[in-house]
Every structure is written in structure tokens, then in C-alpha cells.
């Protein structure tokens, strides 16, 4: 029982780490209907920028603020340079633009900061905290879960309590109507990309501390993809619940099914699970139900 | 409403515009029209005549549908707005209510109304007052203000759309097909409100409408569009008295119900009418 709990809970907490990346996907998808292929690269770029500022001898807080500024500028730049010129382009064109963006951001980040592996120490110990008997929880995982909670609360307040948040929700609902009542569309797009950049920074710091800041960091996006799909594309709650589920399924599958059919399941089980759920709920767990009056 | 002896100044002047979609489809072929200060102008015509394209060309929403104005120009309050952005037009007092209403379905009725108020940067203390102003014209919206707009009735959605436009404090509202999919009684109610707003708030309206009879009853002036051209325009009363308009648009032959043979003749005459004017 304790062993089961151990596997289950550590799975949940790993899943939350995926959620952090998936939330970035959700933000952009909601605002523009596009899957942002570059989210993983943004995570890498944010982590790399932070580490490099920090290694230059700047303080922790200063580095965070500077990286935040860089990510916000990146968001504005993406809107100015690319999206503004693609206003009426089809979704596949926009998607291809994000694929290109992924290469540019990743290449640029490594060009500026170099390609070697950096360690990132957030000063959070990764100790096993004994809960009961042999059941332990990693303090770092708990910290990450706390950060995720703060981030989600912050985003919820931003979307529901501010004027900009209302603009963003109106654009997600009906871009044409938003345009017709004078919502500043291009500015809002920049805001969304900047927000996705901030989320990428949070994810980048936590993942960077976990895996080290290196090229492969952008690959966590592939882990977050089934979370995003499972959660239903447009819901931040969905991204969180999806992450928890995927994390738990991945861990439990690896331990309990892996012992029967062979190891190495954790790479494909999340996708298989997402696929299975989609067969039953095509719009994902928290996918937007179309409001239709009959 | 315009008094007979009042001098008429043009609030909006559309001069001979051409609208092309996707660089090849010519939808509007040289339309000119004016909306006088504090006037209600009806833009009439059948499906595909170019009414919506004309309105969207004015509000510049046409750019999102890969359309552009290739000829002519548009002035609003004396300024050339042919290449303005919708964002600046709304702030300048020109707003469009889209065909099919286009409320924000997942936002509440009240949130729908708030969006343009925020665009106008209304102070937090003023917001309540602004909302009450709208609710005074649409008491039904006040009752339903916490409902998701997507779940309200068609008539209520039209009210949300008009109320929302009103929140931008416009001088001119472009109203596209307000009667679409609504019961005759509700259509009448909507037009009553339009007239009320015109009188009390001095808002001008350019209404695109297929329901010729109702539109002409509430409008000061009318223009009839056929295949992208204005084929007739003038005083609303004159238009509704015109025999050809009566026959082609109001379904009145002047001789009571028509037999099958007469209807055939009617369609022929309608075609001839269109060609003669074009």
C-alpha cells in the first residue's frame, strides 16, 4: 500500500511539472486557435537566459526580473515581426510559423548564451520527506506543486478580474466580435505571448533545476503535449487535471504494467492514455463545450 | 428622426466604393450612399446584393475576410476613414453590429456589455452608471445579466449586440440584418428601440435589411442594392410608395393575391426592373 502511494503521489507531482508547460500551450491556443510548437523552446530560452544572468554574478531576484523582461520582449517581438503579418493566414500557416519560431528561439538562445549544460540551483533541497512509514514525498516536488498553484491562481485572477483578462476571454470567444467592438487585437496578442513567456520561465526554472539547463530541455514540450490534448486544449484547469492524470498513469503503468510486458513504457503510455480518453471524450476532459441554443 | 426642414449634413459619405474579396471576387461595384447626421438609413436588397460587404467595408472588418476596398473612399465626420483600423473607428464613434449578432457566448450578458466600455477606458466608478443607461433601453438584459450570453434567446442576443455597440458611445451604428431569425413581434421591438435610440441618444443608423417593409417604416432614407450596385435610393416614404419597389420588394402587386401565371410574369418583370435600373 505504501509502495502504491509512493508511486501514485510521485506520479501526480511529476505530472504537475508537465502541466506547467501545457498551460503555455493553452494560453496561446485559447487566444489564437494555434498550437504553439515553440513553447518548449521558450522554456529552454527562459531557463538559459536566467542561468546565464545568474552566472554573470547577478542576484537571484535581479536575474528573474531581467529574464521576465526578456520573455515579455520576446512576446512583443513575435507579435510585431511575425503574427502581425499573418493576420488572415490559415491556422496551418500560423502553426508552421511557430515551428519556425521554435528553431529561431532555440538557436538564438544558444547562440547568445552558449550550448553547454548549466546547473541550476534554486536553493530548494530535494529531500525525501517522510509522510508515513516508507512513504515519502520529495520536498522539491512539493515546492513545484506550490509554485504551480500560485501560477494558476495568478492566471485565474488575471483572466477574471482585470480588464485585459476580459479582453482576452472575449477574443477567445469570438475574435470577429472582439474586433468589431474595438478590442485592440494586436496588443492583446502580444500580451498573450508575453504571458506564455512568463509561464515558460516558471516551467524553465523548475525543469532546469530538475534536469539541468541544456538543449534537451525543450523536449519536455513533447511530454506536455498529451497533457494539453487530454485537458481539452482550452482549459487551464484541464491542463492541471490532465497533468496529474498523465503523471499518475505514467508512473503506475511503468511500475505495474512494465513489470509484465517489459520496461520503457513511460514514453508512450501518456500518448496511449490521451488517445483512449479522446475516443470517449473527443473534446478532451475540459474541452470547450460549444454553447448552442436549441 | 429628421425633420423635414432641417438642414442635412452628412455624417457618413460613401463615394463610389468597390469591394473585392481574395483579389478576384468583385462584390460591391461602385456603391455611394450618405447617412445624414441623426438619420436612419436603410440599405435594402436580396441575399448577396452586397449589403453586408458594404457595411463591413465601412467598418473595415472586411480585412479579416480577405476583402479590400479597391476604389472609392469613405468619409466619416468629414475625415477620410477608407484605410482606418476597426479599433480606431470604434474609438472615433463608428461601430458595427455584425450579422448573426456575434455575442461572446461564454461571457455573461453584463461582461458582453463591459468589453466596449473598457475599450473606451470608462472609469471604474462610472461603469455602473453606463450599464444602467443600457439597461434602461433593454430592461430584459438587466434580468438576464448574469446568464451566459450564448444561452439567451435570439431576440435577447440581438439586444446584447446592440446594447454592446451602444456602450462604445457611437455616433453611428452599422446594423447588419437585425431581423435575422427573429419573430415578427421581436423584429418590431428591435426597430422600436432603434428609433428610440435615434431620437433620445442622437445615434445615427445604417441598417442593412432584407425585411424591406419594416425597414422602410422606421428609416428616413433607403437605398436598394442589386448585384453590388445601388439601383434606387431616396426618401423612405417615396420608396415604399414606388410601384416597382412595391412589386419587387414588398410583395404587393396592387391587384390582390396573384395566380400562378401572374407570378411567372412577376419574376420576369422583376428581372427587367433590375436590368433597367442597373
Amino acid at each position: 500500500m505504501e509502495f502504491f502511494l509512493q508511486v501514485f503521489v510521485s506520479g501526480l507531482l511529476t505530472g504537475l511539472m508537465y502541466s506547467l508547460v501545457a498551460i503555455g500551450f493553452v494560453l496561446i491556443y485559447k487566444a489564437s486557435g494555434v498550437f504553439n510548437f515553440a513553447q518548449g523552446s521558450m522554456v529552454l530560452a527562459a531557463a538559459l537566459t536566467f542561468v546565464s544572468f545568474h552566472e554573470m554574478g547577478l542576484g537571484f531576484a535581479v536575474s528573474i526580473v531581467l529574464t521576465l523582461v526578456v520573455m515579455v520582449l520576446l512576446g512583443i517581438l513575435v507579435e510585431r515581426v511575425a503574427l502581425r503579418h499573418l493576420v488572415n493566414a490559415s491556422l496551418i500557416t500560423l502553426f508552421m510559423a511557430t515551428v519556425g519560431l521554435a528553431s529561431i528561439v532555440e538557436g538564438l538562445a544558444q547562440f547568445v548564451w552558449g550550448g553547454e549544460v548549466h546547473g541550476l540551483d534554486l536553493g530548494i533541497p530535494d529531500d525525501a520527506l517522510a509522510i508515513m512509514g516508507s512513504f515519502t514525498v520529495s520536498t522539491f516536488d512539493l515546492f513545484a506543486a506550490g509554485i504551480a498553484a500560485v501560477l494558476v491562481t495568478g492566471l485565474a485572477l488575471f483572466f477574471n478580474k482585470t480588464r485585459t483578462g476580459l479582453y482576452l476571454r472575449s477574443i477567445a470567444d469570438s475574435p470577429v466580435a472582439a474586433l468589431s467592438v474595438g478590442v485592440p487585437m494586436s496588443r492583446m496578442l502580444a500580451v498573450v505571448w508575453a504571458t506564455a513567456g512568463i509561464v515558460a520561465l516558471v516551467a524553465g526554472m523548475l525543469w532546469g533545476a530538475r534536469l539541468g539547463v541544456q538543449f534537451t530541455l525543450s523536449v519536455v514540450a513533447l511530454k506536455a503535449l498529451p497533457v494539453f490534448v487530454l485537458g481539452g486544449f482550452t482549459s487551464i484547469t484541464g491542463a492541471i487535471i490532465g497533468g496529474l492524470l498523465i503523471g499518475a498513469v505514467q508512473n503506475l503503468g511503468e511500475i505495474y504494467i512494465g513489470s509484465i510486458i517489459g520496461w520503457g513504457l513511460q514514453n508512450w503510455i501518456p500518448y496511449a492514455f490521451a488517445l483512449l480518453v479522446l475516443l470517449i471524450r473527443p473534446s478532451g476532459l475540459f474541452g470547450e463545450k460549444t454553447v448552442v441554443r436549441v | 428622426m429628421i425633420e423635414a426642414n432641417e438642414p442635412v449634413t452628412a455624417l457618413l459619405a460613401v463615394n463610389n466604393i468597390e469591394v473585392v474579396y481574395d483579389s478576384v471576387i468583385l462584390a460591391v461595384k461602385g456603391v455611394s450612399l450618405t447617412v445624414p447626421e441623426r438619420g436612419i438609413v436603410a440599405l435594402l436588397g436580396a441575399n448577396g446584393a452586397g449589403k453586408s460587404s458594404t457595411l463591413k467595408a465601412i467598418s473595415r472588418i472586411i480585412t479579416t475576410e480577405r476583402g479590400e476596398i479597391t476604389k472609392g473612399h469613405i468619409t466619416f465626420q468629414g475625415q477620410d476613414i477608407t484605410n482606418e483600423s476597426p479599433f480606431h473607428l470604434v474609438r472615433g464613434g463608428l461601430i458595427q453590429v455584425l450579422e448573426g449578432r456575434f455575442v461572446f457566448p461564454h461571457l455573461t450578458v453584463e461582461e458582453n456589455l463591459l468589453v466596449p466600455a473598457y475599450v473606451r477606458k470608462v472609469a471604474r466608478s462610472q461603469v455602473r452608471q453606463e450599464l444602467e443607461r443600457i439597461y434602461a433601453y433593454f430592461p430584459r438584459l438587466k434580468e438576464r445579466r448574469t446568464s451566459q450570453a450564448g444561452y439567451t434567446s435570439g431576440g435577447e442576443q440581438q439586444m446584447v449586440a446592440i446594447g454592446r455597440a451602444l456602450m462604445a458611445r457611437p455616433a453611428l451604428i452599422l446594423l447588419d440584418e437585425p431581423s435575422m431569425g427573429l419573430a415578427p413581434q421581436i423584429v418590431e421591438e428591435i426597430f422600436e428601440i432603434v428609433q428610440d435610440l435615434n431620437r433620445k441618444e442622437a445615434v445615427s443608423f445604417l441598417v442593412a435589411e432584407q425585411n424591406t417593409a419594416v425597414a422602410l417604416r422606421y428609416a428616413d432614407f433607403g437605398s436598394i442594392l442589386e448585384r453590388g450596385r445601388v439601383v434606387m435610393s431616396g426618401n423612405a416614404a417615396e420608396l415604399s410608395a414606388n410601384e416597382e419597389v412595391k412589386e419587387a420588394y414588398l410583395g404587393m402587386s396592387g391587384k390582390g393575391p396573384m395566380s400562378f401565371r401572374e407570378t411567372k410574369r412577376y419574376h420576369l418583370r422583376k428581372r427587367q426592373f433590375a436590368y433597367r435600373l442597373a
Side-chain angles (χ1 to χ4, degrees):
Chain A
M1 185 61 202
E2 277 165 13
F3 179 67
F4 172 81
L5 264 184
Q6 182 74 53
V7 174
F8 180 66
V9 171
S10 73
L12 290 183
L13 292 170
T14 317
L16 266 184
M17 298 275 286
Y18 299 144
S19 297
L20 286 174
V21 182
I23 288 171
F25 287 142
V26 170
L27 288 174
I28 306 257
Y29 187 85
K30 242 176 119 72
S32 48
V34 141
F35 171 68
N36 176 23
F37 194 81
Q39 190 68 30
S41 311
M42 283 162 66
V43 169
L44 170 67
L48 205 54
T49 308
F50 170 78
V51 171
S52 304
F53 278 137
H54 199 44
E55 282 173 1
M56 278 157 70
L58 296 169
F60 192 81
V62 179
S63 306
I64 285 195
V65 171
L66 280 178
T67 312
L68 218 58
V69 171
V70 169
M71 293 316 284
V72 169
L73 285 179
L74 179 70
I76 296 170
L77 203 70
V78 167
E79 195 276 323
R80 279 286 151 79
V81 176
L83 301 176
R84 181 164 292 191
H85 307 286
L86 296 172
V87 165
N88 292 317
S90 61
L91 287 180
I92 190 71
T93 310
L94 286 168
F95 172 71
M96 287 314 291
T98 70
V99 173
L101 184 70
S103 307
I104 293 170
V105 168
E106 222 169 282
L108 211 60
Q110 294 184 77
F111 176 69
V112 175
W113 304 120
E116 66 267 35
V117 181
H118 301 259
L120 172 55
D121 184 15
L122 296 176
I124 310 297
D126 197 354
D127 299 332
L129 195 68
I131 305 287
M132 61 174 204
S134 64
F135 171 41
T136 59
V137 174
S138 144
T139 45
F140 183 84
D141 279 350
L142 278 182
F143 172 75
I147 292 289
V150 171
L151 184 73
V152 169
T153 316
L155 285 173
L157 287 176
F158 173 58
F159 274 101
N160 290 306
K161 297 288 173 201
T162 67
R163 292 185 170 200
T164 307
L166 183 63
Y167 283 163
L168 293 178
R169 283 188 295 142
S170 79
I171 294 172
D173 246 15
S174 171
V176 185
L179 180 75
S180 80
V181 297
V183 172
M185 303 295 273
S186 43
R187 204 195 315 157
M188 287 305 115
L189 218 49
V191 167
V192 166
W193 278 82
T195 314
I198 294 169
V199 173
L201 170 61
V202 174
M205 308 239 328
L206 292 174
W207 275 104
R210 195 18 92 67
L211 303 175
V213 179
Q214 52 177 322
F215 180 70
T216 49
L217 203 55
S218 63
V219 178
V220 298
L222 288 182
K223 287 278 189 183
L225 183 58
V227 172
F228 168 62
V229 172
L230 186 67
F233 298 98
T234 52
S235 160
I236 290 176
T237 321
I240 293 290
I241 305 288
L244 292 172
L245 271 175
I246 294 272
V249 166
Q250 179 184 310
N251 253 21
L252 292 174
E254 177 73 15
I255 300 294
Y256 289 100
I257 307 176
S259 58
I260 303 166
I261 63 169
W263 310 103
L265 286 86
Q266 82 257 45
N267 286 326
W268 60 264
I269 253 201
Y271 284 94
F273 181 65
L275 192 67
L276 206 67
V277 173
L278 284 191
L279 286 177
I280 303 159
R281 288 183 66 95
S283 56
L285 289 177
F286 289 80
E288 211 135 87
K289 289 181 201 74
T290 327
V291 178
V292 181
R293 203 173 49 84
V294 278
Chain B
M1 212 57 176
I2 305 237
E3 300 299 328
N5 52 2
E6 204 175 322
V8 172
T9 46
L11 177 67
L12 176 83
V14 176
N15 292 308
N16 202 24
I17 56 161
E18 250 183 33
V19 174
V20 176
Y21 288 101
D22 275 327
S23 312
V24 284
I25 304 157
L26 183 60
V28 175
K29 307 165 185 166
V31 164
S32 299
L33 58 90
T34 52
V35 178
E37 205 81 61
R38 297 186 35 226
I40 301 179
V41 175
L43 192 57
L44 307 165
N47 253 340
K51 305 186 296 294
S52 290
S53 295
T54 306
L55 291 197
K56 284 182 191 158
I58 299 168
S59 68
R60 304 295 297 143
I61 287 173
I62 195 119
T63 50
T64 64
E65 296 172 354
R66 285 192 281 251
E68 53 180 344
I69 302 175
T70 49
K71 221 169 84 182
H73 56 97
I74 304 167
T75 55
F76 175 65
Q77 292 176 327
Q79 291 184 355
D80 192 326
I81 56 158
T82 318
N83 293 310
E84 241 347 319
S85 72
F87 171 67
H88 286 110
L89 287 177
V90 170
R91 303 198 83 182
L94 189 160
I95 194 164
Q96 174 162 15
V97 175
L98 293 159
E99 178 176 13
R101 308 181 259 278
F102 277 94
V103 296
F104 301 121
H106 294 93
L107 304 191
T108 65
V109 167
E110 191 153 296
E111 283 173 333
N112 264 272
L113 298 177
L114 285 176
V115 174
Y118 292 168
V119 170
R120 206 151 49 81
K121 303 207 190 310
V122 174
R124 225 160 249 281
S125 52
Q126 292 286 310
V127 167
R128 202 67 256 159
Q129 202 180 323
E130 292 278 336
L131 283 170
E132 288 305 327
R133 185 175 74 98
I134 306 297
Y135 291 146
Y137 287 101
F138 303 98
R140 262 210 264 171
L141 295 189
K142 188 166 187 175
E143 287 165 32
R144 309 225 47 186
R145 59 197 231 239
T146 53
S147 317
Q148 271 196 352
Y151 287 117
T152 59
S153 75
E156 284 161 350
Q157 290 191 12
Q158 188 66 64
M159 291 178 190
V160 170
I162 296 176
R164 190 176 63 185
L166 214 54
M167 275 303 246
R169 288 216 178 249
L172 172 66
I173 295 180
L174 310 175
L175 192 52
D176 198 351
E177 207 79 44
S179 75
M180 193 176 104
L182 300 183
Q185 205 184 338
I186 311 288
V187 174
E188 213 64 48
E189 197 180 329
I190 299 280
F191 271 94
E192 286 289 342
I193 293 170
V194 165
Q195 196 172 46
D196 215 29
L197 290 170
N198 177 248
R199 285 180 180 155
K200 292 189 190 149
E201 305 272 330
V203 183
S204 304
F205 283 89
L206 177 57
V207 188
E209 190 48 85
Q210 290 195 43
N211 190 334
T212 313
V214 178
L216 283 179
R217 209 146 20 85
Y218 288 93
D220 304 309
F221 302 99
S223 287
I224 298 179
L225 281 187
E226 292 221 349
R227 291 173 296 138
R229 289 194 173 88
V230 178
V231 292
M232 191 183 259
S233 59
N235 208 295
E238 279 167 28
L239 281 180
S240 20
N242 183 299
E243 283 302 321
E244 280 167 330
V245 174
K246 265 189 184 172
E247 198 172 309
Y249 288 99
L250 299 174
M252 293 186 286
S253 68
K255 304 183 207 90
M258 286 191 284
S259 71
F260 175 67
R261 188 184 297 175
E262 279 169 335
T263 8
K264 271 196 347 202
R265 207 185 130 262
Y266 161 81
H267 285 298
L268 182 68
R269 280 204 30 136
K270 189 175 164 182
R271 271 203 301 278
Q272 287 167 344
F273 163 72
Y275 279 115
R276 198 155 358 115
L277 290 164

